[in-house]
Amino acid sequence: MGERMIRQQQSLMLSPYAKLYDMLIPKDNMLRQINELVDFTFIYEELKDKYCHHTGRNAIDPIRMFKYMLLKAIFELSDVDIVERSRYDLSFKFFLDMAPEDPVIEPSSLTRRHPHESMLQPEVAAGNPARPG
């Protein structure tokens, strides 16, 4: 039941501008390929017991938050920079399952520890991916 309630918070991408993604983001784009190869729905199962489903505000979609953290680790950007880039970079918006005109989150949403951060390596969750020697 918890997973279903978390999923209900997701909004369908019904945008007249969604076709821009097919026109502007090449098939070999790394973020497009990750989206096509990885089924991120495992995150709902991992987190279903971490959300209160009866009270409080709707949470930011856990998959979207995980993807923001993943972008942050891949591109080595700060919270502010990753959110700013997701404002205008269509490959980021596509990866985040957002319509082109959707507003982005507040950078402060990334600075607090979230339950899904434990699914990343501690270094990656902290925004400091290990660098080869």
Side-chain angles (χ1 to χ4, degrees):
M1 167 130 179
E3 180 180 345
R4 184 176 59 82
M5 292 192 72
I6 293 172
R7 286 179 190 233
Q8 286 177 349
Q9 295 180 59
Q10 285 183 291
S11 60
L12 294 174
M13 191 188 342
L14 301 174
S15 167
Y17 306 110
K19 292 283 185 195
L20 287 172
Y21 292 142
D22 290 332
M23 294 168 42
L24 299 174
I25 301 172
K27 297 290 183 204
D28 64 348
N29 175 277
M30 175 184 63
L31 297 177
R32 180 184 283 272
Q33 290 179 339
I34 291 171
N35 253 4
E36 291 173 358
L37 293 173
V38 179
D39 178 3
F40 288 98
T41 58
F42 73 91
I43 293 170
Y44 293 125
E45 184 64 29
E46 290 289 324
L47 298 178
K48 71 180 178 183
D49 297 329
K50 307 278 192 260
Y51 284 84
C52 178
H53 306 288
H54 308 292
T55 61
R57 300 180 301 174
N58 284 345
I60 298 170
D61 178 60
I63 291 178
R64 183 167 296 156
M65 288 302 294
F66 182 85
K67 287 180 172 185
Y68 265 113
M69 299 299 289
L70 192 57
L71 287 170
K72 189 176 165 186
I74 291 170
F75 293 97
E76 300 181 19
L77 295 170
S78 70
D79 297 339
V80 171
D81 290 341
I82 204 73
V83 170
E84 180 61 27
R85 185 160 169 189
S86 68
R87 245 183 254 292
Y88 63 81
D89 188 326
L90 285 181
S91 67
F92 275 36
K93 282 206 168 193
F94 174 81
F95 182 69
L96 294 165
D97 298 315
M98 297 172 68
E101 70 275 14
D102 283 350
V104 297
I105 64 171
E106 291 294 321
S108 62
S109 298
L110 295 173
T111 59
R112 293 178 290 221
R113 298 227 16 113
H114 293 280
H116 59 272
E117 285 182 341
S118 63
M119 294 190 302
L120 293 172
Q121 299 172 14
E123 298 84 16
V124 173
N128 301 317
R131 291 183 173 62

